[in-house]
Amino acid sequence: MSLYRLDASINPATSKSRALADLVEAEWTSQHPDSVVTRRDIGTHPLPSTTWRDVVMSGMTSDADLTQEQRDARALATTLADELIDADAILLAIPLYNWGIAAHVKSWYDITYTDARIKSGALAGKPVVLATVLGSDYRPGSPKEGWDHSTPWLRHVIEGVWKADLLVVQRQLTLVGANPAMDALKDQAAEVHAAAQQLAIEHGRALAAKRNAPGALV
Amino acid sequence: MSLYRLDASINPATSKSRALADLVEAEWTSQHPDSVVTRRDIGTHPLPSTTWRDVVMSGMTSDADLTQEQRDARALATTLADELIDADAILLAIPLYNWGIAAHVKSWYDITYTDARIKSGALAGKPVVLATVLGSDYRPGSPKEGWDHSTPWLRHVIEGVWKADLLVVQRQLTLVGANPAMDALKDQAAEVHAAAQQLAIEHGRALAAKRNAPGALV
């Protein structure tokens, strides 16, 4: 049995998305102590920015004319797709950066989505937890409401394209404490944090249980 | 005088965003025949995927301890920011890829946004045209309504963060003709195309005129 974990924070030492995902992972491991956890850290080791284009353009090239870069890019795409397809469950730890999807996350998604198996539904029904964090206040009525362009895209591609079985835990206001302008939100941030931790634990239990459910992917 | 043009298509040979931006550029050049056009193609020459993190992490490092990679990343960030700041007007040709902002566009934005001048408003009031294309049907009532996660993010960061003076021309349905499943939309696609071409020309004239307006940036 295996859990695939993707981390996208560029600063693991202080990462709030890692901390949230750790709670999910702990529940998984508690229920499946023999499970392998396969890790890929695209935050500190982003994929080459040329890979996706090389794979796409290789599709318009005859095999004999493929460049070495295109062959390497195809091999990397297959490796990344294998990691997802082979996993019994998937855990994604993804921060919001500059109000949009992290460039290295979009790149990873684009590369995996070149894989014919993933395009034809290989991830359908796969249990997935997304643990995501937002530095500022994006709650309804706040000035930045609607400025999180990462989570809605992730929901669309994970639920709508992969057709995976997605649970999301989101923690906002993570910059409270680091940004003095947000000091007035200290109590609210603590509540949001505690609620996110609780939900991460619940999602971790649900992820582990889904794997055990009758009819679960084997 | 100078126009800065950014292209993000990964396939210039068939690029619809380039074709749309060409109409904008032609109007600019017609009114400002002596203008320089500074070009950066991040579609075929994406920026390194490590640059943004290197710049961000360099901000947590003393100058004496900077790595060569961090120094190189800072220099690239300054070059990219200079290109935007020095331009009299900006033209962005950006396709939608996999329902989200192109990874290489997000990367470019993130890198430029590390620059202290841009953070403190150096692009405020700058005239910008965004020429963007979407392959499928994202119009209200269509199954993919709300799945364009690129244009809304671009509007937020260009208008809301840069506080630039933005005009947008968007062409949808560009896959009609290439994707037989969309053949029924042929007439609508032709109308959408013609309207986008007309709007690109109008935006090109407006961009050139803004540069001439009293009080324009010099």
Side-chain angles (χ1 to χ4, degrees), chain B residues 39-63:
Chain B
R39 302 176 194 279
R40 183 169 283 273
D41 179 351
I42 58 171
T44 58
H45 294 84
L47 305 163
S49 58
T50 50
T51 300
W52 178 60
R53 177 172 191 267
D54 282 342
V55 178
V56 172
M57 299 306 285
S58 79
M60 306 172 195
T61 308
S62 68
D63 277 2

Side-chain angles (χ1 to χ4, degrees), chain B residues 16 31 42 58 60 63 77 79 91 103 113 119 164 171 179 207 214:
Chain B
K16 312 293 190 293
Q31 288 193 42
I42 58 171
S58 79
M60 306 172 195
D63 277 2
T79 298
L91 172 56
Y113 194 62
K119 270 196 159 63
R171 179 184 161 202
N179 178 354
L207 190 72

Side-chain angles (χ1 to χ4, degrees), chain A residues 10 53 97 106 149 156, chain B residues 10 47 53 97 106 149 156:
Chain A
I10 60 167
R53 177 173 190 265
Y97 288 126
K106 181 59 159 54
H149 296 277
H156 268 150
Chain B
I10 62 167
L47 305 163
R53 177 172 191 267
Y97 288 126
K106 181 60 159 54
H149 296 276
H156 268 150

Side-chain angles (χ1 to χ4, degrees), chain A residues 10-11 43-44 46 97-98 104, chain B residues 47-63 65-81 106-119:
Chain A
I10 60 167
N11 193 359
T44 58
Y97 288 126
N98 287 336
H104 44 284
Chain B
L47 305 163
S49 58
T50 50
T51 300
W52 178 60
R53 177 172 191 267
D54 282 342
V55 178
V56 172
M57 299 306 285
S58 79
M60 306 172 195
T61 308
S62 68
D63 277 2
D65 292 333
L66 290 175
T67 65
Q68 189 56 49
E69 288 74 18
Q70 286 173 327
R71 292 177 197 278
D72 293 345
R74 279 189 179 187
L76 177 54
T78 300
T79 298
L80 294 166
K106 181 60 159 54
S107 182
W108 167 81
Y109 176 83
D110 288 342
I111 296 167
T112 59
Y113 194 62
T114 62
D115 188 273
R117 297 165 297 171
I118 290 181
K119 270 196 159 63

